[in-house]
């Protein structure tokens, strides 16, 4: 029996050329992206539950603590996919936005890690949203901030100091860190950092 591949997230690349969207189209994309969140998290849960190498089941209950075993599982996938740094040679078309966002600094990840990462990002965002209901999805458009490096990229608003948490971008950073040190729990540690520094009033409660 062959290896089970992680299910792809199909995006309408002709409709959503992210960097070229006007204000109205950008918010249509945001709605489309958010509408797929629960569906993609369910796919992530099913894939992990059916992993034959998993001795202990991960309870993805949207608690902060669930990020710890999830991080360990992600690290195992990264190690398996990146043995000998066998990166893919071809770059994806920039129109494939969700993939393109995870290809930064010249590192080329395998298809499998990129697909998994998109749904890890969804789950990470949902952990924040469940535990801090004041947070909400939004985007920064070129009209709002012309020099912004990642325009129209969905993220979470509602943090202190007007900080903006972008799950896809942050997940990419986590992957790079895991490559250097797979034993650290970056998903949980980053969550804790944002909680303690940008959700101060909520922490006091």
């Amino acid at each position: 029996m062959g290896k089970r591949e992680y299910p792809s997230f199909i995006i309408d690349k002709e409709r959503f050329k992210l960097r070229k969207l006007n204000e109205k189209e950008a918010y249509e994309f945001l709605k489309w992206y958010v509408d797929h969140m629960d569906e993609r998290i369910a796919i992530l849960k099913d894939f992990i539950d059916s992993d034959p190498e998993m001795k202990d089941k991960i309870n993805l209950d949207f608690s902060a603590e669930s990020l710890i075993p999830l991080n360990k599982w992600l690290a195992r996938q990264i190690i398996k996919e990146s043995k000998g740094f066998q990166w893919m040679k071809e770059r994806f078309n920039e129109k494939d936005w969700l993939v393109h966002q995870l290809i930064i600094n010249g590192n080329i990840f395998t298809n499998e890690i990129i697909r998994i990462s998109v749904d890890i990002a969804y789950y990470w965002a949902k952990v924040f949203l469940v535990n801090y209901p004041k947070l909400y999805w939004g985007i920064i458009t070129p009209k709002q901030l012309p020099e912004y490096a990642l325009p129209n990229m969905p993220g979470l608003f509602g943090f202190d100091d007007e900080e903006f948490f972008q799950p896809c971008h942050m997940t990419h950073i986590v992957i790079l860190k895991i490559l250097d040190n797979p034993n650290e729990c970056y998903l949980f540690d980053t969550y804790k950092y944002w909680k303690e520094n940008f959700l101060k009033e909520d922490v006091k409660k």
Side-chain angles (χ1 to χ4, degrees):
M1 186 176 180
K3 173 189 171 184
R4 180 188 177 195
E5 290 189 351
Y6 196 86
S8 295
F9 185 16
I10 307 301
I11 183 171
D12 188 340
K13 292 179 283 189
E14 293 306 314
R15 178 185 176 194
F16 296 126
K17 298 177 182 178
L18 206 72
R19 295 179 185 275
K20 299 180 181 179
L21 299 179
N22 61 36
E23 194 92 351
K24 180 176 179 292
E25 292 168 339
Y27 280 97
E28 288 176 356
F29 172 77
L30 174 64
K31 182 180 184 306
W32 179 91
Y33 178 83
V34 174
D35 285 348
H36 283 80
M37 178 168 61
D38 291 338
E39 169 198 339
R40 295 306 306 184
I41 290 174
I43 288 171
L44 177 67
K45 288 182 176 181
D46 177 69
F47 191 83
I48 294 175
D49 285 343
S50 62
D51 185 344
E53 297 180 8
M54 285 295 297
K55 295 180 180 178
D56 300 314
K57 295 299 181 185
I58 299 177
N59 182 18
L60 296 181
D61 59 358
F62 306 112
S63 66
E65 291 72 23
S66 68
L67 295 171
I68 297 172
L70 181 60
N71 195 115
K72 292 179 180 177
W73 180 82
L74 175 60
R76 283 200 295 272
Q77 312 315 305
I78 292 170
I79 291 168
K80 283 192 299 184
E81 290 289 315
S82 63
K83 277 188 176 177
F85 293 93
Q86 297 295 319
W87 306 118
M88 293 178 59
K89 292 181 180 179
E90 71 274 13
R91 283 187 175 274
F92 290 88
N93 190 303
E94 185 172 344
K95 289 188 297 183
D96 198 348
W97 176 76
L98 290 177
V99 170
H100 179 70
Q101 294 302 323
L102 290 170
I103 302 177
I104 305 175
N105 301 330
N107 290 304
I108 310 298
F109 299 112
T110 64
N111 273 313
E112 187 77 351
I113 292 303
I114 292 167
R115 288 192 292 257
I116 291 170
S117 299
V118 171
D119 291 347
I120 293 281
Y122 267 129
Y123 182 79
W124 202 5
K126 187 70 177 277
V127 171
F128 273 109
L129 291 165
V130 167
N131 288 283
Y132 297 97
K134 75 173 188 176
L135 301 179
Y136 58 95
W137 284 103
I139 51 175
I140 296 176
T141 67
K143 182 179 179 181
Q144 295 164 345
L145 197 60
E147 301 303 317
Y148 191 63
L150 299 170
N152 302 331
M153 184 176 183
L156 300 181
F157 283 101
F159 292 94
D160 299 343
D161 304 325
E162 299 184 353
E163 287 291 332
F164 183 48
F165 184 86
Q166 295 176 317
C168 273
H169 181 57
M170 294 300 292
T171 301
H172 166 76
I173 293 172
V174 164
I175 292 171
L176 292 177
K177 289 183 175 182
I178 287 174
L179 282 169
D180 290 331
N181 190 345
N183 296 316
E184 294 295 326
C185 191
Y186 296 110
L187 288 173
F188 177 78
D189 290 346
T190 305
Y191 174 91
K192 184 179 178 183
Y193 175 85
W194 278 71
K195 180 184 76 170
E196 293 176 352
N197 289 276
F198 305 120
L199 290 164
K200 296 172 187 173
E201 293 302 318
D202 299 81
V203 170
K204 291 176 184 177
K205 296 175 186 177

